[in-house]
Amino acid sequence: MQKLIIQGGQRLEGEIIIQGAKNSALPILAAALLCDGESILENCPELSDVYAACRILTSAGCQCQMKQHVVRVNAESLTNSEIPEQLMQEMRSSIIFLGAMLGKTGVCTLGYPGGCELGPRPIDLHLQALEKMGVRIREENGILHCSAPKGLHGTKIHLQFPSVGATENILLAAVLAEGETIIVNAAREPEITDLIHYLISCGAKITGIGCSTIRIQGVKKLYGCTYRIMPDRIVTATWLAAAAMTGGTLRLLHTDAGSLEGILDVLEQMHCSYYCDDTSIFISARSPVHAVRSLKTMPYPGFPTDAQAIFMAALCRAEGTSVFEETIFENRYRHVDALIRMGADIQIAGRAAVVHGVKQLHGAPVSATDLRGGAALLVAALGAQGETVLTEISHIDRGYDNPEKVLSAVGADIRRVSS
Ligand code: UD1
């Protein structure tokens, strides 16, 4: 078991190159399964979730190699359309392989996905949409046997909620389906746009990029290509929050401010100064930051649920009271107990969390309960007085490529130890 030991209170200063986006790399790795020939995916972050996606591809018989942030996938040797139960449990995004596998082979057997630490995470929208496209689904002892005996066909799908995963699954199932698929109320997250750009580079016909109605005209074949994964906007948000927490000055490189509107808005309310150009963001923060009266998570382009815990940590020491409202997931305040243990003053009432700024946080032994909740504790520890011992960091390793190396390079006192 590994843990991070952080001596808080150091001002962060310097430059950070932002890693590729996990939530973009995962569906694009699944999409590579649809192509003839090799896909070369650049800027893939080296994360346990990305390794799990690579293992799903190899277990299906594909060739998949990762070297220095480049993943090469060739699906021509695909033989097996069953996704191993253990890999389904390892990460929720494994469900994205369902649409791709059905699109390619017309069959797929898989269990329900794991990673449900944010409360119930149903896949009903995914399954209903696929059924509408001609997929028959039979459940036996928790295993889903899916097949499209007459092939997949296009149809109009109206999503009740703009689910990111369901939108991705429909896209993956539709690109090789017969006829036109229309997704109404599609999710508009930048990672979906990135997936669409990759699919178009492979030969797919898709219009409505970045819109809530997406039209996909099925094609006969897709061909692998070289593609660069977009920068990770949630990792960018995390290091912005870390700068805000420590009164730091950071230049974040190889990122995309265009995908961070909701976050930059909040930074402004926190009275942090920032400046953006095409590929970088410069932030200069004075500690303590200003409280944010109301911070509500919403589908893109609203404030992302994935940044809720991280900004809550940064606002624990703000001047004044901040009120959070989590509208996307039911159980996304699991980091709060640990923040309170570090001296924060937070009250939860249903979907709201009220954060009264305190003068100081103090280091404590705390455990990550989920990926972004873990990142929030990291941000809190950077701004706390004294030592924090952060355990269960495998959650953090799902989304952050070498966080201790990144943070030490900008002045944090942080080390990883094995116990
Ligand atoms: C993706 C992201 C995750 C992010 C989330 C919301 C990846 C790998 N993960 O997760 O980091 O927090 O988007 O931006 O990209 N829902 C249903 N039925 C369904 C599907 C979803 O009720 O069939 C509900 C969920 O329970 C949740 C909400 O819709 O309350 C949002 O889920 P969704 O957008 O699907 O999130 P994910 O794709 O799981």
Side-chain angles (χ1 to χ4, degrees), residues 22-23 92-93 120-126 161-165 189 305-306 328-329 332:
K22 167 181 88 78
N23 288 357
R92 177 176 165 85
S93 313
R121 291 181 81 172
I123 53 168
D124 53 324
L125 301 176
H126 303 235
F161 178 86
S163 153
V164 173
E189 268 63 7
T305 174
D306 283 354
I328 309 291
F329 289 106
R332 211 161 193 184

Side-chain angles (χ1 to χ4, degrees), residues 22-24 26-27 49 92-93 95-96 118-127 160-168 187 189 191 233-234 298-300 304-306 327-330 332 351 371-372 398:
K22 167 181 88 78
N23 288 357
S24 174
L26 299 176
D49 272 13
R92 177 176 165 85
S93 313
I95 191 66
I96 296 308
L118 308 179
R121 291 181 81 172
I123 53 168
D124 53 324
L125 301 176
H126 303 235
L127 301 184
Q160 284 159 32
F161 178 86
S163 153
V164 173
T167 303
E168 291 168 346
E189 268 63 7
E191 293 77 15
R233 65 194 169 103
I234 304 302
M298 294 291 280
Y300 189 81
T305 174
D306 283 354
T327 72
I328 309 291
F329 289 106
E330 273 178 37
R332 211 161 193 184
R351 288 192 168 233
L371 164 56
R372 304 303 170 188
R398 288 185 42 226

Side-chain angles (χ1 to χ4, degrees), residues 258-332:
S259 63
L260 284 152
E261 239 176 79
I263 305 262
L264 295 177
D265 238 37
V266 168
L267 280 176
E268 214 160 288
Q269 294 175 55
M270 291 164 78
H271 295 188
C272 295
S273 311
Y274 64 85
Y275 166 81
C276 310
D277 64 20
D278 280 356
T279 57
S280 69
I281 303 177
F282 172 80
I283 177 168
S284 173
R286 242 192 356 202
S287 182
V289 291
H290 207 268
V292 176
R293 194 178 296 167
S294 161
L295 204 159
K296 186 172 176 177
T297 63
M298 294 291 280
Y300 189 81
F303 187 86
T305 174
D306 283 354
Q308 176 258 107
I310 294 157
F311 272 73
M312 188 180 291
L315 285 162
C316 282
R317 279 180 34 214
E319 277 172 340
T321 298
S322 307
V323 179
F324 286 75
E325 192 185 343
E326 172 58 57
T327 72
I328 309 291
F329 289 106
E330 273 178 37
N331 191 12
R332 211 161 193 184

Side-chain angles (χ1 to χ4, degrees), residues 4-8 342 362-366 381 384-390 415:
L4 289 171
I5 300 183
I6 303 125
Q7 302 291 340
M342 296 174 77
H362 51 79
V366 285
Q385 260 181 357
E387 181 176 279
T388 296
V389 178
L390 180 49
R415 64 202 159 91

Side-chain angles (χ1 to χ4, degrees), residues 38-53:
E38 187 179 57
S39 277
I40 302 173
L41 306 175
E42 300 170 349
N43 202 30
C44 267
E46 297 194 350
L47 305 168
S48 51
D49 272 13
V50 170
Y51 301 141

Side-chain angles (χ1 to χ4, degrees), residues 226-264:
T226 300
Y227 191 80
R228 189 171 177 82
I229 306 290
M230 67 176 274
D232 197 310
R233 65 194 169 103
I234 304 302
V235 170
T236 307
T238 309
W239 303 148
L240 287 169
M245 183 60 163
T246 62
T249 303
L250 287 180
R251 189 178 294 279
L252 306 179
L253 305 172
H254 299 196
T255 187
D256 173 19
S259 63
L260 284 152
E261 239 176 79
I263 305 262
L264 295 177

